[in-house]
Amino acid sequence: MNQRARIDSTPIPFIDVGAQRRRLGSLIDDAIARVTTHCLFLGGPEVAAFEADLAAFCGAKYAVGCASGTDALMLVLMAQGIGPGDAVLCPAFTFCATAEVVVLLGATPVFADVNPATFNIDPSSLVRAIATAKRHGLKPKAIIPVDLFGLPADHDAIAAIAKAEGLFVLDDAAQGFGASYKGRKLGTIAPATATSFFPAKPLGCYGDGGAVITDDPALVDKLKSLRVHGQGADKYDNVRIGMTSRLDTIQAAVLIEKLKIFPYEIAARNLVAVRYAEGLRDVAIVPGVPDGYTSIWAQYTLRLRPGLRDGLAATLKAQGIPTAVYYPKPLHRLEAYRQFPVADNGIPVTDQLAEEVISLPMHGYLDPPTQDRVIEAVRAALMP
Ligand SMILES: *Cc1c(COP(=O)(O)O)cnc(C)c1O
């Protein structure tokens, strides 16, 4: 396989937003031009139109746009009245925003361990993290499961625990939006789902953006107030403390076009994942998808035997193939988060994964010859 006379080392992008831009062509320019013509840069008609499209896409009743995925999480916790003395349970193997919003509201994140096969919160550790929170004198209020790397969390088990303990569930689908769980799309699984339109996410816009998806009309009313300074009947009648967190009209216009091709991209991403699994399953632990789940493959993440990762990354880099490590330090190891409680005083799977994982280029426009270059390079580097 690696008998080429000369190794092609043309740089491969990790995520090719340019390829998608070329496919969309003038649709995006036209959409943006409509906004720069009507000049309703905030609250233009594209915002409500996109919110309706997004809700319809996943089969939910409502979607509320906001300025980022982080704000989407924050706004829901604000609507739930989360604050000092409250504990919010979440995994430590995630992007910091999952726990950051909890801390910003004066509440305490309590970290649970993850399942080594799915990278997602482990229900049995979650139960122990709830006990840990109580031992710390905190009142457990909510769980934020994360659909890490695009794979849905174990939502039925989480919902059962939430019900038994009286906790709210806010699904962090910043990476998972577009995936499905037991025949239903994320957005319809938890009472509230937050997603991000950061450009590198599976459904990204051309800047920052986010949304909350829910079936609860009372939550929608609160979110719509909170995203504009807690407005009441009108703009200068403020009934609660809120923030500035609107989805820009231009971003909504871009997202309307991007959502139209999202089903095609979901299928394409899955084909890429299947090809990676076929090409690599004998040299590394490739990510699996439990029965009844689909992944959106926000990342394609391998697990390697300890000690192999840095060498593989360097070898690939020399051949123009980028890799990334999500996440080299889990949250409980970060300066900003290390004072917060962890279940069982230690979450070993999370620590182990942080040493083993490496993510490969992944997007819906990764053509087979380019992907073969990645597969062959990984194989050559890992074969004894
Ligand atoms: C990207 C991300 C966020 C935050 O989204 P932003 O739009 O960048 O604020 C939150 N949680 C997870 C798991 C993410 O990957």
Side-chain angles (χ1 to χ4, degrees):
M1 274 191 130
N2 50 358
Q3 291 161 342
R4 303 166 173 235
R6 277 178 57 221
I7 291 179
D8 178 0
S9 57
T10 323
I12 292 175
F14 192 69
I15 292 175
D16 194 348
V17 280
Q20 182 197 52
R21 177 76 184 87
R22 288 189 291 279
R23 179 188 160 118
L24 287 162
S26 65
L27 290 173
I28 294 281
D29 302 290
D30 297 348
I32 293 173
R34 283 193 292 276
V35 180
T36 54
T37 302
H38 68 49
C39 292
L40 298 167
F41 300 120
L42 292 172
E46 287 83 356
V47 176
F50 172 65
E51 289 172 336
D53 288 355
L54 191 71
F57 170 84
C58 53
K61 289 203 176 113
Y62 311 101
V64 179
C66 63
S68 70
T70 305
D71 282 3
L73 294 165
M74 179 88 169
L75 288 163
V76 174
L77 295 186
M78 287 170 87
Q80 291 300 116
I82 304 288
D86 296 340
V88 177
L89 293 302
C90 65
F93 197 54
T94 178
F95 180 59
C96 65
T98 309
E100 188 178 32
V101 292
V102 176
V103 181
L104 281 170
L105 289 171
T108 305
V110 179
F111 298 118
D113 211 350
V114 293
N115 177 309
T118 63
F119 306 130
N120 283 328
I121 198 164
D122 171 3
S124 59
S125 179
L126 173 60
V127 168
R128 295 194 296 275
I130 293 168
T132 302
K134 290 176 183 166
R135 270 202 308 281
H136 279 76
L138 299 164
K139 185 159 179 12
K141 281 277 182 67
I143 304 169
I144 308 182
V146 178
D147 308 298
L148 200 73
F149 306 149
L151 181 72
D154 188 352
H155 285 288
D156 283 349
I158 293 162
I161 295 165
K163 189 164 181 230
E165 296 281 343
L167 307 179
F168 186 79
V169 181
L170 165 56
D171 183 17
D172 181 347
Q175 299 180 17
F177 187 78
S180 62
Y181 178 80
K182 303 190 179 176
R184 288 185 292 145
K185 289 227 165 59
L186 294 186
T188 62
I189 310 296
T193 299
T195 193
S196 163
F197 306 123
F198 180 82
K201 304 285 161 128
L203 179 63
C205 63
Y206 287 177
D208 277 311
V212 177
I213 300 146
T214 183
D215 281 350
D216 178 355
L219 178 60
V220 169
D221 287 347
K222 273 191 193 162
L223 294 170
K224 287 189 170 172
S225 163
L226 285 164
R227 72 177 172 181
V228 267
H229 307 288
Q231 75 177 17
D234 75 68
K235 211 163 151 177
Y236 301 110
D237 171 30
N238 306 89
V239 296
R240 52 172 68 81
I241 301 298
M243 52 204 260
T244 312
S245 186
R246 290 167 287 230
L247 179 65
D248 293 350
T249 311
I250 286 183
Q251 299 304 342
V254 168
L255 284 162
I256 287 171
E257 300 308 320
K258 293 196 33 162
L259 189 59
K260 289 182 194 159
I261 62 163
F262 196 41
Y264 157 81
E265 293 181 335
I266 293 173
R269 297 176 88 93
N270 275 287
L271 288 178
V272 171
V274 166
R275 294 186 95 247
Y276 268 142
E278 282 166 359
L280 297 173
R281 62 165 44 106
D282 57 332
V283 295
I285 301 180
V286 297
V289 178
D291 280 349
Y293 293 46
T294 67
S295 177
I296 183 68
W297 303 105
Q299 302 296 338
Y300 193 85
T301 304
L302 303 176
R303 285 174 62 195
L304 304 176
R305 270 179 287 119
L308 295 179
R309 182 168 70 191
D310 291 352
L312 176 64
T315 305
L316 295 181
K317 189 173 176 206
Q319 297 175 46
I321 301 170
T323 58
V325 175
Y326 303 110
Y327 293 92
K329 274 191 185 185
L331 301 191
H332 68 302
R333 299 284 173 202
L334 292 172
E335 172 84 35
Y337 297 90
R338 63 169 142 244
Q339 76 266 33
F340 300 115
V342 296
D344 308 322
N345 295 314
I347 42 179
V349 177
T350 298
D351 283 323
Q352 186 190 341
L353 289 175
E355 301 290 324
E356 297 179 350
V357 290
I358 186 164
S359 302
L360 301 178
M362 165 51 85
H363 56 85
Y365 303 86
L366 188 57
D367 59 89
T370 308
Q371 191 180 3
D372 285 343
R373 246 182 77 197
V374 180
I375 291 171
E376 285 171 30
V378 174
R379 293 188 66 80
L382 292 179
M383 292 278 244

